[in-house]
Amino acid sequence: MPPTSGTSRSVALVTLGCARNDVDSEELAGRLADAGWTLVDDADGADVAVVNTCGFVEQAKKDSIDTVLAAADLKEAGRTKAVVAVGCMAERYGKDLAESLPEADAILGFDSYGDLSSHLEAILHGEKPQSHVPRDRRTLLPLAPAERQAARPVIAEPDLPEGLAPASGPRVVRRRLGSGPWAPVKIAAGCDRRCTFCAIPAFRGSFVSRPAEEVLAETRWLAEQGVKEVFLVSENTTSYGKDLGDLRALEALLPHVAAVEGIERVRVSYLQPAEVRPGLLDALTSTPGVVPYFDLSFQHSSPAVLRRMRRFGGTEPFLALLEQVRERHPQAGIRSNVIVGFPGETEADVDELCSFLERARLDVVGVFGYSDEDGTEAETLDGKLPDEVVAARVDRVTRLVEELVTQRAEERIGEVVEVLVESVVDEDGDPHVVGRAAHQGPDVDGETELDLPAGFVVHVGDLVTARVTGVAGADLLAEPLVRATV
């Protein structure tokens, strides 16, 4: 229903963190628009600023707090009347965060999402919603994955207005907050893994797959909005289907997503190396429309460190997996993240990690220094390293990664790539065109600048065939081979 005041209210959603948070914000935007709220881009032009926080690592939490504080400052200078924090950090800390961050008018957890409009309206009327006491959300669903689908919460909602729902199939409660040619689609939520350094399962809950018909309905809706590339996201994509009774569900889903009219590229994120099956390798490298892109969560390569992380694998198994990928598709994009300075890590472990990275030839590597996360098993481990040692190891591995990423990019000089155009900016009469090749995931994997010949016209959303001619780190320079459609 519309806001109870009878007056149109405006709301701005400010999103931090990962692509999964982007989806959450767009779902909240859909619910609020359906309830009569006007969506605006900037917090200083809104009655309510809703900050979708990230609670993954210490820096992300700091950024979230800084963003809430910046939004709260607008209450003194602009029209903003209230600032509300939602998202992972709000869910993870709840009442404690509310007490330590009085500048926020409310801290709301995931259970508030279904009726966020009423909460915001109450806040504008001077009420102070009580913040929740955090709990382990893994306890909310059955332990056995096969029993979880029946226990999925169902939120009863009215029909959505035109523009918020697909023509047929399950309704899409989502409103796009951007206009770019790509968009994430959440295919699952939660995680069943017990990595000792990670708190995500406790506040995101157990792993639950979305049924294929929901994923396809949302993909069709996004295509109608002009999206050309969909990015399938979750906390652990390789587990998709475990609660649907089919561990090959992702392989079966991919061709259907790629066949949606208007969708040119499908990309899959966050693959657990220990769960990558031959069939999935085949699907990711041979399904028309699915880009050969492997976001592999290695985290380290020393078996000793991985065991303390409660993870599987090691240098040799990981290299064997990379060989299987490249046997199927030599130009496949492969990225990962690593944690250095984990409790008990030795110099020999770091040496092994560096040796692995030198042999792995990864396109992009994110390097993170270990820090304790509240409530995780790693917080209680012995062998903690001094901050200066962790910082020195981060510096060592980061410098190596920068060199290796540049080398890997240089190996692509001469390759023919398909570039999805994301930005066309006129600079003194010359178009500056930037996009992403198939091996470049959104936001964090670099970009490709197109060096256009005279008279060559492209538009955002075009796929341009080009040859790589130069590099700058992970970024590429490429020249089109075929004239784009005017």
Side-chain angles (χ1 to χ4, degrees), residues 250 254 268 271 279-287 290-294:
L250 182 56
L254 289 174
V268 178
L271 308 173
L280 182 56
L281 287 176
D282 292 338
L284 290 173
T285 54
S286 63
T287 304
V290 176
V291 296
Y293 174 80
F294 291 82

Side-chain angles (χ1 to χ4, degrees), residues 170-325:
R171 290 176 299 108
V172 175
V173 186
R174 182 170 177 176
R175 172 68 68 88
R176 292 207 74 198
L177 295 176
S179 58
W182 75 275
V185 175
K186 189 184 294 186
I187 66 170
C191 184
D192 287 342
R193 301 185 72 87
R194 295 295 182 265
C195 302
T196 58
F197 57 81
C198 184
I200 289 175
F203 60 82
R204 276 290 184 181
S206 298
F207 186 88
V208 180
S209 304
R210 292 182 70 194
E213 58 269 22
E214 289 186 15
V215 175
L216 291 172
E218 189 162 321
T219 301
R220 286 191 290 269
W221 178 81
L222 287 168
E224 292 170 1
Q225 312 305 306
V227 169
K228 302 298 184 182
E229 176 183 310
V230 290
F231 192 24
L232 305 185
V233 301
S234 74
E235 277 76 22
N236 179 11
T237 306
T238 39
S239 282
Y240 181 76
K242 64 185 292 186
D243 53 321
L244 299 172
D246 184 4
L247 284 176
R248 296 184 177 180
L250 182 56
E251 292 101 296
L253 174 66
L254 289 174
H256 295 288
V257 176
V260 171
E261 185 176 356
I263 297 300
E264 301 285 347
R265 294 203 310 206
V266 179
R267 187 182 303 275
V268 178
S269 77
Y270 212 82
L271 308 173
Q272 287 288 346
E275 297 179 11
V276 176
R277 305 166 296 277
L280 182 56
L281 287 176
D282 292 338
L284 290 173
T285 54
S286 63
T287 304
V290 176
V291 296
Y293 174 80
F294 291 82
D295 177 15
L296 293 165
S297 175
F298 289 130
Q299 304 299 352
H300 211 283
S301 73
S302 165
V305 174
L306 288 167
R307 299 307 173 267
R308 286 174 69 85
M309 291 179 171
R310 292 199 187 280
R311 296 179 66 85
F312 301 97
T315 296
E316 297 308 320
F318 291 164
L319 290 173
L321 174 58
L322 297 179
E323 183 178 358
Q324 292 178 58
V325 170

Side-chain angles (χ1 to χ4, degrees), residues 124-143:
L124 288 177
H125 280 89
E127 298 180 23
K128 183 80 171 181
Q130 185 174 1
S131 298
H132 67 285
V133 175
R135 54 181 170 172
D136 189 335
R137 295 190 70 89
R138 291 171 293 192
T139 63
L140 302 181
L141 288 170
L143 182 63

Side-chain angles (χ1 to χ4, degrees), residues 390-453:
V390 175
R393 292 181 180 180
V394 169
D395 180 66
R396 174 189 172 185
V397 177
T398 298
R399 284 187 286 109
L400 174 63
V401 161
E402 289 174 349
E403 179 182 345
L404 295 174
V405 166
T406 298
Q407 291 176 6
R408 178 66 185 118
E410 289 173 344
E411 292 176 5
R412 292 191 180 276
I413 293 177
E415 280 188 10
V416 174
V417 295
E418 293 288 332
V419 179
L420 177 67
V421 176
E422 295 187 315
S423 173
V424 180
V425 179
D426 191 311
E427 295 184 350
D428 297 326
D430 294 322
H432 179 69
V433 180
V434 174
R436 287 180 295 106
H439 70 278
Q440 295 171 318
D443 297 333
V444 295
D445 289 350
E447 58 190 22
T448 299
E449 180 180 348
L450 291 175
D451 184 12
L452 300 184

Side-chain angles (χ1 to χ4, degrees), residues 93-104 107 128 131-133:
Y93 294 105
K95 184 174 180 291
D96 290 342
L97 181 61
E99 292 173 354
S100 62
L101 194 62
E103 294 83 356
I107 305 294
K128 183 80 171 181
S131 298
H132 67 285
V133 175

